[in-house]
């Protein structure tokens, strides 16, 4: 089998496909790109289930009942239909984005509707079940316009000049910060193993309690205080009240999957992520177990019924082209979508491409115009199907760690998303605790970029550290970049301002380099003394 695969790899490398994707030049081959694509796709396949659930919480295009009852059975039924349609929308937009990135920019970066932006779209812009000030149609139109503005910035090159102002320590810290963000996701419940949960007193704490001992955390708004029917729950919960810390079988299974991946990686198995995720997923599909993804309740039964369909294609009757010209209140949402999408994409692309070693000294990389344009086009395409902005995914780092180096990985991911149009019930049934371990491992591997930071320079050290800390703790790549850049600008600006009063800017020296220079000086001095002694001896002999 190995000889057969090698022969195919060699044939593809010499084919027009291999030359187009520069497989040989980048030290890759078909089998490596395929494995990397599987690792990336399986790490981000949760978006097929999570994104529709979040966006459908906005109520979509479903009209709010005249009675004002947000839980009216007919209204809820309409939202359930929107949720199923959004699975198809998510797969279509992700497929388009992956194809655009792979064929246009030749990068192993997969795209999908962005986590964080979908929550902002639903809960801050449209509001839970349409309780916000902006309609679902206005929000989708704002996303469409944002995509065109982003495309303009990418095509004209203005985007590059904006990126050039990102300081060096921020560029070096970004991959590690994204890695910390990935690990943060992997440690939580929504996309991970549930080891870290919410806490009333300390914000976060050790969790891993079973479903029966979880207490959901809600926002105590005036509406919620007056009527519990208006309390919006989420994936956040605490184990404080019921206890049961570290007794969740799902967490332990997720940890087992992570250990399996780590051991296989230590033996340089490129399929480590695929094996680990598949192992945990397969075990989680059995019913009547402590780790089942299909518990014996209404949610579990609904999941299982959908899972049993295996093949299902949802029509797009409600969410197709939901645009409007009523944009009077959408200005803030438009601006927010733009800057978050721009900074998220910039941080993700720079982080992943830096991990591959393809970023030049100026902080740019080959075909960057195409990469950012692909991201913008995917956002435009996604808005047509009722989605929040589509962006480059940090989970692509799992494919890069598996060996991916070319856009063929993104093309394969696009093909997998195409298949998910038909097998959405299967793909949507990959549990979060099967994915969390992979995200944690990828995060740890991406931390090596911190070795390039000038830690002896307090300006660079503080900038890099704040970038790494703020990004996962605020759950936003954009906020991490803003914090890092802001810190650098304030410090450098202060130093330059003080020079106006004769206070020179401090000079930070590398202690290791200084020690090496001292060692060299001492060695040279010793050699000079020895040479001088030899000359004196020669003079005496003469």
């Amino acid at each position: 089998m190995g000889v057969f695969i090698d022969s195919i790899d060699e044939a593809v490398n010499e084919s027009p496909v291999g030359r187009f994707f520069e497989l040989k030049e980048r030290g890759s081959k078909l089998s490596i790109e395929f494995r990397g694509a599987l690792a990336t796709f399986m790490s981000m396949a949760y978006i097929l289930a999570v994104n529709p659930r979040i966006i459908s919480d906005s109520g979509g295009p479903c009209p709010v009942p005249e009675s004002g009852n947000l839980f009216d059975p007919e209204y809820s039924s309409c939202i359930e239909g929107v949720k199923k349609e959004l699975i198809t929308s998510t797969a279509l937009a992700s497929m388009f984005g992956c194809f655009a990135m792979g064929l246009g920019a030749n990068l192993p970066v997969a795209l999908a509707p962005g986590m964080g932006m979908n929550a902002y779209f639903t809960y801050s812009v449209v509001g839970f079940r349409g309780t916000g000030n902006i309609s679902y149609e206005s929000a989708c139109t704002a996303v469409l316009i944002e995509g065109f503005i982003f495309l303009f910035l990418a095509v004209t090159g203005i985007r590059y000049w904006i990126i050039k102002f990102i300081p060096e320590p921020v560029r070096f810290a970004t991959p590690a910060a994204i890695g910390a963000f990935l690990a943060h996701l992997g440690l939580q419940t929504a996309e991970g193993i549930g080891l870290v949960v919410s806490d009333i007193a300390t914000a976060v704490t050790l969790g891993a309690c079973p479903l029966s001992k979880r207490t959901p955390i809600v926002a105590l708004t005036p509406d919620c205080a007056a009527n519990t029917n208006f309390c919006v729950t989420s994936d956040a919960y605490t184990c404080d009240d019921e206890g049961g810390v570290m007794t969740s079988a799902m967490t332990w299974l997720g940890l087992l999957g992570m250990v399996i991946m780590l051991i296989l990686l230590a033996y340089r198995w490129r399929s480590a992520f695929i094996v680990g995720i598949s192992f945990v997923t397969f075990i989680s599909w059995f019913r009547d177990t402590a780790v089942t993804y299909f518990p014996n309740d209404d949610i579990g039964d609904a999941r299982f019924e959908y899972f049993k369909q295996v093949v299902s294609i949802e029509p797009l009757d409600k969410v197709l082209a939901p645009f409007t010209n009523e944009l009077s209140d959408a200005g803030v949402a438009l601006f927010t979508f733009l800057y978050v999408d721009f900074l998220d994409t910039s941080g993700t692309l720079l982080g992943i491409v830096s991990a591959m070693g393809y970023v030049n000294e100026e902080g740019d990389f080959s075909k960057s115009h195409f990469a950012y344009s692909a991201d913008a086009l995917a956002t435009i395409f996604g808005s047509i199907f009722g989605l929040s902005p589509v962006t480059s995914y940090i989970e692509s780092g799992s494919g890069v760690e598996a060996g991916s180096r070319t856009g063929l990985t993104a093309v394969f991911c696009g093909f997998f998303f195409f298949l998910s149009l038909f097998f959405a019930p299967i793909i949507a049934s990959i549990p979060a605790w099967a994915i969390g371990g992979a995200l944690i491992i990828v995060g740890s591997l991406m931390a090596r970029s911190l070795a390039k930071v000038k830690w002896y320079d307090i300006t660079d050290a503080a900038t890099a550290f704040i970038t790494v800390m703020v990004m996962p703790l605020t759950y936003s790549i954009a906020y991490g970049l803003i914090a890092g850049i802001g810190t650098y600008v304030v410090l450098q600006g202060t130093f330059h301002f003080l020079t106006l009063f004769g206070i020179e800017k401090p000079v930070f020296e590398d202690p290791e380099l200084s020690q090496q220079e001292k060692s060299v000086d001492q060695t040279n001095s010793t050699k000079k003394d020895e040479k001088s002694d030899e000359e004196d001896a020669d003079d005496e002999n003469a």
Side-chain angles (χ1 to χ4, degrees), residues 22-42:
E22 302 175 355
L23 290 174
K24 185 179 292 186
E25 292 85 343
R26 300 192 183 186
S28 187
K29 51 189 177 180
L30 179 68
S31 58
I32 292 177
E33 298 295 313
F34 184 77
R35 286 198 298 264
L38 276 177
T40 296
F41 179 74
M42 294 187 74

Side-chain angles (χ1 to χ4, degrees), residues 474-540:
T474 60
Y475 219 76
S476 170
I477 294 174
Y479 293 153
L481 292 175
I482 291 171
I485 294 171
T487 301
Y488 186 85
V489 170
V490 169
L491 291 176
Q492 292 294 342
T494 301
F495 292 148
H496 287 294
F497 176 75
L498 292 176
T499 58
L500 299 176
F501 300 94
I503 303 176
E504 295 296 328
K505 180 181 177 181
V507 177
F508 302 99
E509 296 182 355
D510 186 348
E512 294 183 2
L513 185 60
S514 299
Q515 187 63 37
Q516 291 175 2
E517 291 176 349
K518 290 180 180 179
S519 299
V520 172
D521 290 341
Q522 290 176 355
T523 302
N524 292 336
S525 177
T526 302
K527 289 182 178 178
K528 287 181 180 179
D529 293 341
E530 292 176 352
K531 186 176 181 180
S532 178
D533 292 341
E534 291 176 358
E535 291 176 350
D536 292 341
D538 291 340
D539 290 341
E540 292 177 359

